Amino acid sequence: MTTAIDRAPQLRRPNRVRVRWLVVVLCVLAGLCVLSVAIGTRDVAWADIVAAFGGLTDTIEQAAVTKRIPRTVLAALAGAALGLAGGVMQGVTRNPLADPGILGVNMGAALAVVIGLAWFGLASANAYIWTAIGGAALAAVFVYAVGSLGRGGATPLKLALAGAATSAALISFITGVVLGRNDIAEGWQSWRIGGVGGATFDRIGQMLPFLLAGFAISLLSARKLNSLALGDELAAGLGERVAVTRAVAAFGAVILCGATTAMCGPISFVGLVVPHFCRLLVGVDHRWLLPFSALTGAGLLVAADVIGRIVARPTELDVGIITAFIGAPFFIWIVRRTRIREL
Amino acid sequence: MSAPFALPAAAVEAVARGRVRRGRRRRNVMLLLVAILVAAFATTLMVGRSFVPPGDVLRVLFGEDVPGASFTVGRLRLPRASLSVVAGLSFGMAGVAFQTMLRNPLASPDIIGISWGSSAAAVFAIVVLGLDGTPVSIMAIVAGLAVALAVYGLSFRGGVVGARLILIGIGISFMLESFIAYVLEQAPQWNYQEALRWLAGSVNGAGWNQIVPVAIALGAFGAALLSRARHLEILRLGDDAAAALGVRVAGTRIIVIVAAVGLIAFATSASGPIAFVAFLSGPIAARIIGRNGSLLIPAALVGAVLVLVADFCGQFLLGMRYPVGVVTGALGAPYLLYLIVRSNRAGGSL
């Protein structure tokens, strides 16, 4: 028994190690949140930060801090949602390159929102989120269908290509809609890069029910994803209804992506990077991997937001740009490391 | 066990007949494509907001001064149609070269990120450096080649595997895409609609100083690609089989990549990355001509026809004036659907 465990050190981790990492991740996340409240384009003294937490907005500094608090919360929530969605998608597709951005799911949500804005007069945040979730679901089904047909099923290469091609087509449609409508062009431009800048607790409250539903569905399917990881035949042999499991877990991920995209715009690569990193910490058991992905994703997006405020002073860089520049080299590294079979 | 080395005469004759028939079909289809291209070209010169009779168009083409027609046809429609044709030829040929080499109909240069390099450089040059005209084109070309080189270099690990090349191209294109978004965001005075137009690909306001470099590049790189057409066909059998048949795989691959990227970069610098033309032309050509012989020339012709027709539709048939790239992009989506249906039966490549 012990030799089998020794031979596969990445697959199983003793719970002691996992708990230790859990403490570390929580501490880092807390530290990043503090940084996110303290650091910004304006320097603020600690006394002002404490006062702002007490509800004071007398000085500009305190007012700035009160704006940073919901922003930090939104970044953490969105990061958690994207990290978790990435973990679930990688489990559902059994594909190391799955990510809501790469698979074109975010662009599906984007097109749905743009169409809603242009022709159906979307106004309420709820309508936004439902539209985005619908678009994300359609895009996810479409890309998975394109990617899994033909010889060999859904290989990483075919899924990534199908996602890229679908994204390109969706962007053309979006351009077509936006070009005809000067009135929505500006909103679309600032929304598409992805940002958490304009967060308020009202808006967070509107997306929260969706996020909670998504978190619940995704985390509850963790055990079933473990069975799926054995392969479809074996999972079916263990009594798992493979198609249902896939659909339910993917639905959870789509809710998370759709709600996040509706609020923050498409943010790529968080869902790709985070689960890979967490696998190094806690192994491949989804019951540990998924919660860790959520926590680490929250940390990554808060950190990206802080970096975006520091590097381009006095202006800000949107988180979507930062995550793309962190995530794309990581993607390339995975591709170089993995032995990909020729078509 | 002794294999019959001499095939029956009837079988040889049947094979030969089939070959002749396919050759004839190929020639007929190519002639038909050329005829369609000429007809589309002539139509775009004659028809528009105002109709110019064929006689007047011919007189303008021969350099006569025709009142009322010289400006519309000679200054507006002729450069626009010419740029459509040279850009379409370039995109079509380069696209099918990539698809054939990587043995995947989805692996066209606009999807695996080669075109994004040129776009990023052009947007940067226009917005940040405030350049226009030839310097923008030069930067777009240099950046296109540099990005292609980076993709090739990063995917090199004891030889280049097609799959790795494609995936790394997708990764790089994500980075370039967000760079473009950042540059556009930093430039509030920049007309966003205009940028979108350029990024989608447009032949609006074409001038001869843009067209001539693309045409020269088409001649040079196109000839280089055509000289490798046979090897490219053999590469379809797989790298190992091609090597066994005497093709120098790495060498052919480098020549094809350099030539195809050159075509893409020059065309992109003039017209922007006209969405999906490189992606669509090869498979359409394969569909109508059948899979025998090189697809380079048929795909180039299909590309030119696509751009001409799509530009015409974008200008006159829809409610407002759309750049050509939006129309071709919308055409690409149903083709993806079609690809699903077909790959169900045939299982994949071109």
Coordinates of all heavy atoms in Angstrom, one line a residue, chain A residues 179-245:
Chain A
L179 N -21.2 47.9 -34.0 CA -20.9 48.9 -35.1 C -22.1 49.7 -35.4 O -22.1 50.9 -35.8 CB -20.3 48.3 -36.3 CG -18.8 48.1 -36.4 CD1 -18.4 47.5 -37.7 CD2 -18.1 49.5 -36.2
G180 N -23.3 49.0 -35.4 CA -24.5 49.6 -35.8 C -25.1 50.5 -34.7 O -26.0 51.3 -34.9
R181 N -24.6 50.4 -33.5 CA -25.2 51.1 -32.3 C -24.1 51.9 -31.6 O -23.5 51.4 -30.7 CB -25.8 50.1 -31.4 CG -27.0 49.3 -32.0 CD -28.2 50.2 -32.2 NE -28.7 50.7 -31.0 CZ -29.6 50.1 -30.2 NH1 -30.2 49.0 -30.7 NH2 -30.0 50.6 -29.1
N182 N -24.0 53.2 -32.0 CA -23.1 54.1 -31.3 C -23.4 54.2 -29.8 O -22.5 54.3 -29.0 CB -23.2 55.5 -31.8 CG -22.2 55.7 -32.9 OD1 -21.0 55.4 -32.7 ND2 -22.6 56.3 -34.0
D183 N -24.7 54.0 -29.4 CA -25.1 54.3 -28.0 C -24.5 53.2 -27.1 O -24.3 53.5 -25.9 CB -26.6 54.4 -27.9 CG -27.3 53.3 -28.7 OD1 -26.7 52.9 -29.7 OD2 -28.4 52.9 -28.2
I184 N -24.3 52.0 -27.6 CA -23.9 50.9 -26.7 C -22.4 50.7 -26.8 O -21.8 49.9 -26.0 CB -24.6 49.6 -26.8 CG1 -24.4 49.1 -28.2 CG2 -26.1 49.8 -26.5 CD1 -24.9 47.6 -28.4
A185 N -21.7 51.3 -27.8 CA -20.3 51.0 -28.1 C -19.4 51.3 -26.9 O -18.6 50.5 -26.5 CB -19.8 51.8 -29.3
E186 N -19.7 52.4 -26.2 CA -18.7 52.8 -25.1 C -18.9 51.8 -23.9 O -17.9 51.4 -23.4 CB -19.0 54.2 -24.7 CG -17.9 54.8 -23.9 CD -18.2 56.2 -23.5 OE1 -18.8 56.9 -24.3 OE2 -17.8 56.6 -22.4
G187 N -20.1 51.5 -23.6 CA -20.3 50.6 -22.5 C -19.7 49.2 -22.8 O -19.1 48.6 -21.9
W188 N -19.9 48.8 -24.0 CA -19.3 47.5 -24.4 C -17.8 47.5 -24.3 O -17.2 46.6 -23.8 CB -19.8 47.2 -25.8 CG -18.9 46.3 -26.6 CD1 -18.1 46.6 -27.6 CD2 -18.6 44.9 -26.3 NE1 -17.4 45.6 -28.1 CE2 -17.7 44.5 -27.3 CE3 -19.0 44.0 -25.3 CZ2 -17.2 43.2 -27.3 CZ3 -18.5 42.7 -25.4 CH2 -17.6 42.3 -26.3
Q189 N -17.2 48.6 -24.7 CA -15.8 48.7 -24.8 C -15.2 48.5 -23.3 O -14.3 47.8 -23.1 CB -15.3 50.0 -25.3 CG -13.8 50.2 -25.4 CD -13.5 51.6 -25.6 OE1 -14.3 52.5 -25.8 NE2 -12.2 51.9 -25.7
S190 N -15.8 49.3 -22.4 CA -15.2 49.2 -21.1 C -15.5 47.9 -20.4 O -14.8 47.4 -19.5 CB -15.7 50.4 -20.2 OG -17.1 50.3 -20.1
W191 N -16.7 47.3 -20.8 CA -17.1 46.1 -20.1 C -16.3 44.9 -20.6 O -16.0 43.9 -19.8 CB -18.6 45.9 -20.4 CG -19.2 44.6 -19.9 CD1 -19.6 44.4 -18.6 CD2 -19.4 43.4 -20.6 NE1 -20.0 43.1 -18.5 CE2 -19.9 42.5 -19.7 CE3 -19.2 43.0 -21.9 CZ2 -20.3 41.2 -20.1 CZ3 -19.5 41.7 -22.3 CH2 -20.1 40.9 -21.4
R192 N -15.9 44.9 -21.9 CA -15.4 43.6 -22.4 C -14.0 43.3 -21.9 O -13.6 42.1 -21.8 CB -15.3 43.7 -24.0 CG -14.0 44.3 -24.5 CD -13.8 43.8 -25.9 NE -13.1 42.5 -25.9 CZ -12.6 41.9 -27.0 NH1 -12.8 42.4 -28.1 NH2 -11.9 40.8 -26.9
I193 N -13.2 44.2 -21.4 CA -11.9 43.9 -20.9 C -12.0 43.2 -19.6 O -11.1 42.4 -19.2 CB -11.0 45.1 -20.9 CG1 -11.0 45.8 -22.2 CG2 -9.6 44.8 -20.4 CD1 -10.6 47.3 -22.1
G194 N -13.0 43.5 -18.9 CA -13.2 42.8 -17.6 C -12.7 43.7 -16.5 O -11.5 44.1 -16.4
G195 N -13.5 44.1 -15.6 CA -13.1 45.0 -14.5 C -14.0 44.8 -13.3 O -15.1 44.4 -13.3
V196 N -13.4 45.1 -12.1 CA -14.2 45.1 -10.9 C -14.3 46.5 -10.3 O -14.7 46.7 -9.2 CB -13.5 44.1 -9.9 CG1 -13.6 42.7 -10.3 CG2 -12.1 44.5 -9.6
G197 N -13.9 47.5 -11.1 CA -13.8 48.9 -10.6 C -15.0 49.4 -10.0 O -15.1 50.1 -9.0
G198 N -16.1 49.3 -10.8 CA -17.4 50.0 -10.4 C -18.2 49.2 -9.4 O -19.4 49.4 -9.4
A199 N -17.6 48.4 -8.5 CA -18.4 47.6 -7.7 C -19.2 48.4 -6.6 O -18.6 49.3 -6.0 CB -17.5 46.5 -7.0
T200 N -20.4 48.0 -6.3 CA -21.1 48.5 -5.1 C -21.7 47.2 -4.5 O -21.9 46.2 -5.1 CB -22.2 49.4 -5.5 OG1 -23.2 48.7 -6.3 CG2 -21.7 50.6 -6.3
F201 N -22.1 47.4 -3.2 CA -22.7 46.3 -2.5 C -24.0 45.9 -3.1 O -24.5 44.7 -3.0 CB -22.8 46.5 -1.0 CG -21.5 46.3 -0.3 CD1 -20.8 47.3 0.3 CD2 -21.0 45.0 -0.3 CE1 -19.6 47.0 1.0 CE2 -19.8 44.7 0.4 CZ -19.1 45.7 1.0
D202 N -24.7 46.9 -3.7 CA -26.0 46.6 -4.3 C -25.8 45.6 -5.4 O -26.5 44.5 -5.5 CB -26.6 47.9 -4.9 CG -27.3 48.7 -3.9 OD1 -27.5 48.1 -2.8 OD2 -27.7 49.8 -4.1
R203 N -24.9 45.9 -6.3 CA -24.6 45.0 -7.5 C -24.2 43.6 -7.0 O -24.5 42.6 -7.6 CB -23.6 45.6 -8.4 CG -24.2 46.8 -9.1 CD -23.2 47.5 -10.0 NE -22.6 46.6 -11.0 CZ -21.5 46.8 -11.7 NH1 -20.9 47.9 -11.5 NH2 -21.1 46.0 -12.6
I204 N -23.3 43.6 -6.0 CA -22.8 42.3 -5.5 C -24.0 41.5 -4.9 O -24.1 40.3 -5.2 CB -21.8 42.5 -4.4 CG1 -20.5 43.2 -5.0 CG2 -21.4 41.2 -3.7 CD1 -19.5 43.6 -4.0
G205 N -24.9 42.2 -4.2 CA -26.1 41.5 -3.7 C -26.9 40.9 -4.8 O -27.5 39.8 -4.6
Q206 N -27.0 41.6 -6.0 CA -27.8 41.1 -7.0 C -27.2 39.8 -7.6 O -27.9 38.9 -8.1 CB -28.0 42.1 -8.1 CG -29.1 43.1 -7.7 CD -28.9 44.4 -8.5 OE1 -27.8 44.7 -9.0 NE2 -29.9 45.2 -8.5
M207 N -25.9 39.7 -7.7 CA -25.3 38.5 -8.3 C -25.1 37.4 -7.3 O -24.9 36.2 -7.6 CB -24.0 38.8 -9.0 CG -22.8 39.0 -8.1 SD -21.3 39.6 -9.0 CE -20.5 38.0 -9.4
L208 N -25.2 37.7 -6.0 CA -24.9 36.7 -4.9 C -25.8 35.5 -5.0 O -25.2 34.4 -4.9 CB -25.0 37.4 -3.6 CG -24.2 36.8 -2.5 CD1 -22.7 36.7 -2.9 CD2 -24.3 37.6 -1.2
P209 N -27.1 35.6 -5.2 CA -27.9 34.3 -5.3 C -27.4 33.4 -6.3 O -27.3 32.2 -6.1 CB -29.3 34.8 -5.6 CG -29.3 36.2 -5.2 CD -27.9 36.7 -5.3
F210 N -27.1 34.0 -7.5 CA -26.6 33.1 -8.6 C -25.3 32.4 -8.2 O -25.1 31.2 -8.4 CB -26.4 34.0 -9.8 CG -27.6 34.5 -10.4 CD1 -28.1 35.8 -10.0 CD2 -28.4 33.8 -11.3 CE1 -29.2 36.3 -10.5 CE2 -29.6 34.3 -11.7 CZ -30.0 35.6 -11.4
L211 N -24.4 33.2 -7.6 CA -23.1 32.7 -7.2 C -23.3 31.6 -6.2 O -22.7 30.5 -6.3 CB -22.2 33.8 -6.7 CG -21.6 34.7 -7.7 CD1 -20.6 35.6 -7.0 CD2 -20.9 34.0 -8.8
L212 N -24.2 31.8 -5.2 CA -24.4 30.8 -4.2 C -24.9 29.5 -4.8 O -24.4 28.4 -4.5 CB -25.3 31.3 -3.1 CG -24.7 32.4 -2.2 CD1 -25.8 32.8 -1.2 CD2 -23.5 31.9 -1.5
A213 N -25.9 29.6 -5.7 CA -26.4 28.4 -6.4 C -25.2 27.7 -7.1 O -25.1 26.5 -7.1 CB -27.5 28.8 -7.4
G214 N -24.4 28.5 -7.9 CA -23.3 27.9 -8.6 C -22.3 27.2 -7.7 O -21.9 26.1 -8.0
F215 N -22.0 27.9 -6.6 CA -21.0 27.3 -5.7 C -21.6 26.0 -5.2 O -20.9 25.0 -5.1 CB -20.8 28.2 -4.5 CG -19.8 29.4 -4.8 CD1 -20.1 30.7 -4.4 CD2 -18.6 29.1 -5.4 CE1 -19.3 31.7 -4.7 CE2 -17.7 30.1 -5.7 CZ -18.1 31.4 -5.3
A216 N -22.9 26.0 -4.8 CA -23.5 24.8 -4.2 C -23.4 23.6 -5.2 O -22.9 22.5 -4.9 CB -24.9 25.1 -3.7
I217 N -23.9 23.9 -6.4 CA -24.0 22.8 -7.4 C -22.6 22.3 -7.7 O -22.3 21.0 -7.7 CB -24.6 23.3 -8.7 CG1 -26.1 23.7 -8.5 CG2 -24.5 22.2 -9.8 CD1 -26.7 24.3 -9.7
S218 N -21.6 23.2 -7.9 CA -20.3 22.8 -8.2 C -19.6 21.9 -7.1 O -19.1 20.9 -7.3 CB -19.4 24.0 -8.5 OG -20.0 24.7 -9.5
L219 N -19.7 22.4 -5.9 CA -19.1 21.8 -4.8 C -19.7 20.4 -4.5 O -19.0 19.4 -4.2 CB -19.1 22.6 -3.5 CG -18.2 23.9 -3.6 CD1 -18.3 24.8 -2.4 CD2 -16.7 23.5 -3.8
L220 N -21.0 20.3 -4.7 CA -21.7 19.1 -4.4 C -21.4 18.0 -5.5 O -21.5 16.8 -5.2 CB -23.2 19.3 -4.4 CG -23.7 20.0 -3.1 CD1 -25.2 20.2 -3.2 CD2 -23.4 19.2 -1.9
S221 N -20.9 18.4 -6.6 CA -20.6 17.4 -7.7 C -19.2 17.0 -7.6 O -18.7 16.2 -8.4 CB -20.9 18.0 -9.1 OG -20.4 19.2 -9.2
A222 N -18.4 17.4 -6.5 CA -17.0 17.1 -6.4 C -16.8 15.6 -6.4 O -16.0 15.0 -7.1 CB -16.4 17.7 -5.2
R223 N -17.6 14.9 -5.6 CA -17.4 13.4 -5.4 C -17.7 12.7 -6.8 O -16.9 11.8 -7.2 CB -18.3 12.9 -4.4 CG -17.9 11.5 -3.8 CD -19.0 10.9 -2.9 NE -20.3 10.9 -3.6 CZ -20.6 9.9 -4.5 NH1 -19.8 9.0 -4.8 NH2 -21.8 10.0 -5.1
K224 N -18.7 13.2 -7.5 CA -19.0 12.6 -8.8 C -17.9 12.8 -9.8 O -17.6 12.0 -10.6 CB -20.4 13.1 -9.3 CG -21.5 12.5 -8.4 CD -22.8 13.3 -8.8 CE -23.9 12.8 -7.9 NZ -24.5 11.5 -8.4
L225 N -17.3 14.0 -9.7 CA -16.2 14.3 -10.6 C -15.1 13.4 -10.4 O -14.3 13.0 -11.3 CB -15.8 15.8 -10.5 CG -16.7 16.8 -11.1 CD1 -16.2 18.2 -10.8 CD2 -16.9 16.6 -12.5
N226 N -14.9 13.0 -9.1 CA -13.8 12.0 -8.8 C -14.1 10.7 -9.6 O -13.2 10.1 -10.1 CB -13.8 11.7 -7.3 CG -13.0 12.8 -6.6 OD1 -12.3 13.6 -7.2 ND2 -13.1 12.8 -5.3
S227 N -15.4 10.3 -9.6 CA -15.7 9.0 -10.4 C -15.4 9.3 -11.9 O -14.8 8.4 -12.5 CB -17.1 8.6 -10.2 OG -17.5 8.8 -8.9
L228 N -15.8 10.4 -12.4 CA -15.6 10.7 -13.8 C -14.1 10.7 -14.2 O -13.8 10.3 -15.3 CB -16.1 12.1 -14.2 CG -17.6 12.3 -14.5 CD1 -17.8 13.7 -15.1 CD2 -18.0 11.2 -15.5
A229 N -13.3 11.1 -13.2 CA -11.8 11.1 -13.5 C -11.3 9.7 -13.8 O -10.2 9.6 -14.4 CB -11.1 11.7 -12.3
L230 N -12.0 8.7 -13.4 CA -11.6 7.3 -13.7 C -11.8 6.9 -15.1 O -11.3 5.9 -15.6 CB -12.3 6.3 -12.8 CG -12.1 6.5 -11.3 CD1 -13.1 5.6 -10.5 CD2 -10.7 6.2 -10.9
G231 N -12.5 7.7 -15.9 CA -12.9 7.3 -17.2 C -14.4 7.0 -17.3 O -15.0 6.6 -16.3
D232 N -15.0 7.2 -18.4 CA -16.5 7.1 -18.5 C -16.9 5.7 -18.2 O -17.9 5.5 -17.5 CB -16.9 7.5 -19.9 CG -16.9 9.0 -20.1 OD1 -16.4 9.7 -19.1 OD2 -17.3 9.5 -21.1
E233 N -16.2 4.7 -18.8 CA -16.7 3.3 -18.6 C -16.7 2.9 -17.2 O -17.6 2.3 -16.6 CB -15.8 2.3 -19.4 CG -16.1 2.4 -20.9 CD -15.3 3.5 -21.6 OE1 -14.5 4.1 -20.9 OE2 -15.4 3.6 -22.8
L234 N -15.5 3.2 -16.5 CA -15.4 2.8 -15.1 C -16.4 3.5 -14.2 O -17.0 3.0 -13.3 CB -13.9 3.1 -14.7 CG -13.4 2.3 -13.5 CD1 -13.7 0.8 -13.7 CD2 -11.9 2.5 -13.5
A235 N -16.6 4.8 -14.5 CA -17.5 5.6 -13.7 C -18.9 5.0 -13.9 O -19.7 4.9 -12.9 CB -17.5 7.1 -14.2
A236 N -19.3 4.6 -15.1 CA -20.6 4.0 -15.3 C -20.7 2.7 -14.6 O -21.7 2.4 -14.0 CB -20.8 3.8 -16.8
G237 N -19.6 2.0 -14.6 CA -19.5 0.7 -13.9 C -19.7 0.9 -12.4 O -20.2 0.0 -11.7
L238 N -19.3 2.0 -11.9 CA -19.4 2.3 -10.4 C -20.8 2.8 -10.1 O -21.1 3.2 -9.0 CB -18.4 3.3 -10.0 CG -17.0 2.8 -9.9 CD1 -16.0 3.9 -9.6 CD2 -16.8 1.8 -8.8
G239 N -21.7 2.8 -11.1 CA -23.1 3.2 -10.9 C -23.3 4.7 -11.1 O -24.4 5.3 -10.7
E240 N -22.4 5.4 -11.7 CA -22.5 6.8 -11.9 C -23.3 7.0 -13.2 O -23.0 6.4 -14.2 CB -21.1 7.5 -12.0 CG -21.1 8.9 -11.7 CD -21.4 9.2 -10.2 OE1 -20.6 8.8 -9.4 OE2 -22.5 9.7 -10.0
R241 N -24.3 7.9 -13.3 CA -24.9 8.3 -14.5 C -24.1 9.4 -15.2 O -24.2 10.6 -14.8 CB -26.3 8.7 -14.3 CG -27.2 7.5 -14.1 CD -28.7 7.9 -13.8 NE -28.7 8.8 -12.6 CZ -29.8 9.5 -12.3 NH1 -30.9 9.5 -13.1 NH2 -29.8 10.2 -11.2
V242 N -23.2 9.0 -16.1 CA -22.1 9.9 -16.6 C -22.7 11.1 -17.2 O -22.3 12.2 -16.8 CB -21.2 9.1 -17.6 CG1 -20.2 10.0 -18.1 CG2 -20.6 7.9 -16.9
A243 N -23.6 11.0 -18.1 CA -24.1 12.1 -18.8 C -24.8 13.1 -17.9 O -24.6 14.3 -18.0 CB -25.1 11.7 -19.9
V244 N -25.6 12.6 -16.9 CA -26.3 13.5 -16.0 C -25.2 14.2 -15.1 O -25.3 15.5 -14.9 CB -27.2 12.7 -15.1 CG1 -27.9 13.6 -14.0 CG2 -28.3 12.0 -15.9
T245 N -24.3 13.5 -14.6 CA -23.2 14.1 -13.8 C -22.6 15.2 -14.5 O -22.4 16.3 -14.0 CB -22.2 13.0 -13.4 OG1 -22.8 12.0 -12.8 CG2 -21.2 13.6 -12.5

